Amino acid sequence: MRIESLTVRRVQMEMLTPFTTSFGTQTHRDLLIVEAHSSERTGYGECVAMGAPLYSEEATATCQVVLEEYLIPMLRSHGAAAGTPGVVEIDHPQLIRQILAPVKRNSMAKSALEGAVWDLWAKHQGISLAEAYGGTRSHIEVGLSIGIKDTDAELVSAVGAAVDAGYRRIKIKIAPGRDLQMLRAVRREFPDTPIMADANSAYTLADVDLFRSLDELDLMMIEQPLAHDDIVDHRHLQAQIRTPICLDESIHSAEDARKAIELGSGKIINIKIGRVGGIAESQDIEALCRQHGLDAWCGGMLETGIGRAHNVAIASLAGFTLPGDTAPSARYWAEDIIEPEVVMDRGVIEVPTAPGLGYDVVEERLDAHTTETRTYDLTAA
Ligand code: OSB
Ligand code: MG
């Protein structure tokens, strides 16, 4: 498959409702869409970095610079190095990880580019992304991530609405001061609902008593309680609590996952395609979890339909054993940029079988949200 050009779009989307985590409140998404063009088709990838580097070190603006100044030129020189200057031939999208490997980290920037190439390749092969990724499920179970609310009553009513909508598990964001009491209030109202909490790295080992108390609530898991770059303290915490720890921010690669598994830093991994640098790396982590008997699930980054379609496809792999943060389009957007939108029926999303994303990107809607577009011709040496 010959890639003729790449386009990087900066996109702004208003969210239906603000989303609050321990690191801040999102009222809109400032993101990048990468397009990979062959002479016949377009593949789409989404850069899931937040507008500011508060979840991880990446942010939309840093990803834009890294893509435009380093990653795209590397792809172009790959053609020259292969003895065919001006021609970027990609036999298989797994090759992208290898081409971009000299750049350290910058995972979300790499992943956006790799995702666009996967979609383009799948469209050329006439297969769905799920099939391209090695998926085996026809349907995936869906969980919901609920942000921090001002009052317990508001949270209880949001959880109630989510239960009524059919979500298979409810994730509740916590932060110091909005944790044990608040979760107790939820548990009291919903004694049997699969509930978990996500701290987004807001605590330290000094809070071990709090986490011990959380054991009484029978949470499915506690996600990333400790520092964003830690796997050692998580190991000590896991040794002292019954609730399984799920690692999110701490895992940026299959190597990170291997080390965390070896240490016993957690029992579950949240696999986010962007955080780990792409599909190839996600596949490796999925395989590692299967080998070691860990549960895994697909995390979300408040994606548009493009990123969501990639998430739905990767979540169809066998190692994704628990419901993911793959809520349907209508949860986030007044109008998504794909058609049909991602819909959920009784807590389940049907994995599309049409080639590539399996959803059509509505160009006019994407254009309407695009504030900046740059196209890079890869056929020029
Ligand atoms: O920690 O999983 C997280 C959103 C933005 C940044 C980090 C996280 C989240 C979510 C929302 O939990 C998941 C989603 O619904 O897309
Ligand atoms: Mg998380």
Side-chain angles (χ1 to χ4, degrees):
M1 177 184 76
R2 181 175 296 192
I3 306 175
E4 304 263 327
S5 64
L6 291 166
T7 300
V8 178
R9 291 172 181 259
R10 187 98 176 230
V11 170
Q12 310 287 337
M13 300 257 298
E14 235 17 78
M15 297 185 63
L16 271 182
T17 46
F19 187 82
T20 299
T21 62
S22 62
F23 61 80
T25 298
Q26 257 64 50
T27 56
H28 75 286
R29 290 290 279 116
D30 168 15
L31 57 100
L32 306 173
I33 297 294
V34 177
E35 300 175 3
H37 305 278
S38 66
S39 54
E40 302 128 76
R41 290 175 227 280
T42 300
Y44 295 90
E46 177 163 340
C47 179
V48 302
M50 299 281 119
L54 304 176
Y55 163 78
S56 73
E57 74 282 10
E58 292 185 275
T60 308
T62 73
C63 290
Q64 191 171 3
V65 169
V66 169
L67 274 160
E68 297 183 340
E69 300 208 6
Y70 304 103
L71 304 181
I72 293 174
M74 282 172 93
L75 201 55
R76 181 187 279 135
S77 29
H78 168 76
T84 52
V87 179
V88 177
E89 284 282 355
I90 298 292
D91 291 333
H92 197 284
Q94 266 166 347
L95 186 61
I96 300 293
R97 171 173 60 173
Q98 223 168 294
I99 296 171
L100 305 180
V103 169
K104 308 300 181 295
R105 296 179 73 107
N106 289 285
S107 309
M108 293 175 182
K110 290 175 179 173
S111 173
L113 176 51
E114 193 220 36
V117 176
W118 274 100
D119 182 31
L120 181 63
W121 182 80
K123 284 169 175 161
H124 274 261
Q125 303 293 309
I127 62 174
S128 67
L129 272 190
E131 187 180 346
Y133 293 168
T136 52
R137 295 174 207 283
S138 62
H139 294 78
I140 59 162
E141 289 196 301
V142 185
L144 180 66
S145 177
I146 298 180
I148 296 170
K149 307 286 181 202
D150 291 336
T151 65
D152 293 357
E154 257 180 280
L155 176 62
V156 165
S157 111
V159 172
V163 169
D164 292 344
Y167 286 99
R168 297 295 170 100
R169 68 100 176 101
I170 315 292
K171 163 164 137 181
I172 297 165
K173 294 287 187 179
I174 60 169
R178 301 290 293 145
D179 41 41
L180 183 59
Q181 269 197 21
M182 177 182 86
L183 291 172
R184 274 183 181 145
V186 173
R187 186 43 104 201
R188 215 176 297 128
E189 293 294 321
F190 305 96
D192 303 318
T193 300
I195 290 171
M196 59 173 288
D198 185 359
N200 286 108
S201 66
Y203 299 86
T204 72
L205 260 191
D207 300 305
V208 63
D209 289 342
L210 166 73
F211 293 108
R212 278 223 191 86
S213 305
L214 286 184
D215 273 345
E216 81 189 39
L217 297 177
D218 250 320
L219 302 178
M220 279 178 88
M221 68 193 91
I222 165 89
E223 185 176 344
Q224 197 71 31
L226 309 181
H228 71 95
D229 54 356
D230 169 79
I231 54 173
V232 173
D233 286 357
H234 279 96
R235 173 225 183 130
H236 295 306
L237 179 60
Q238 183 67 89
Q240 296 176 73
I241 63 174
R242 235 183 17 247
T243 308
I245 290 178
C246 170
L247 295 173
D248 175 356
E249 282 90 330
S250 295
I251 305 298
H252 288 273
S253 63
E255 268 301 278
D256 285 351
R258 179 184 67 78
K259 291 168 187 168
I261 293 169
E262 190 174 319
L263 285 178
S265 314
K267 298 179 177 167
I268 301 172
I269 296 181
N270 166 338
I271 301 177
K272 287 181 183 167
I273 304 168
R275 193 194 70 234
V276 305
I279 292 298
E281 203 67 23
S282 300
Q283 290 169 326
D284 286 353
I285 298 174
E286 182 260 354
L288 204 59
C289 287
R290 267 190 291 115
Q291 272 164 34
H292 293 270
L294 267 78
D295 282 308
W297 52 276
C298 180
M301 291 288 286
L302 312 172
E303 289 90 348
T304 73
I306 292 174
R308 206 148 289 278
H310 285 274
N311 288 348
V312 168
I314 197 75
S316 74
L317 272 68
F320 287 76
T321 51
L322 298 174
D325 283 343
T326 53
S329 304
R331 177 75 200 178
Y332 307 90
W333 318 112
E335 182 183 64
D336 206 340
I337 54 176
I338 57 165
E339 200 62 73
E341 299 201 334
V342 177
V343 292
M344 178 179 83
D345 181 24
R346 280 161 288 183
V348 163
I349 289 173
E350 192 176 337
V351 179
T353 52
L357 294 177
Y359 303 89
D360 291 326
V361 174
V362 184
E363 285 287 335
E364 310 82 72
R365 291 188 207 158
L366 179 55
D367 283 343
H369 292 289
T370 301
T371 56
E372 207 182 326
T373 309
R374 289 210 194 93
T375 293
Y376 298 82
D377 183 359
L378 297 187
T379 63

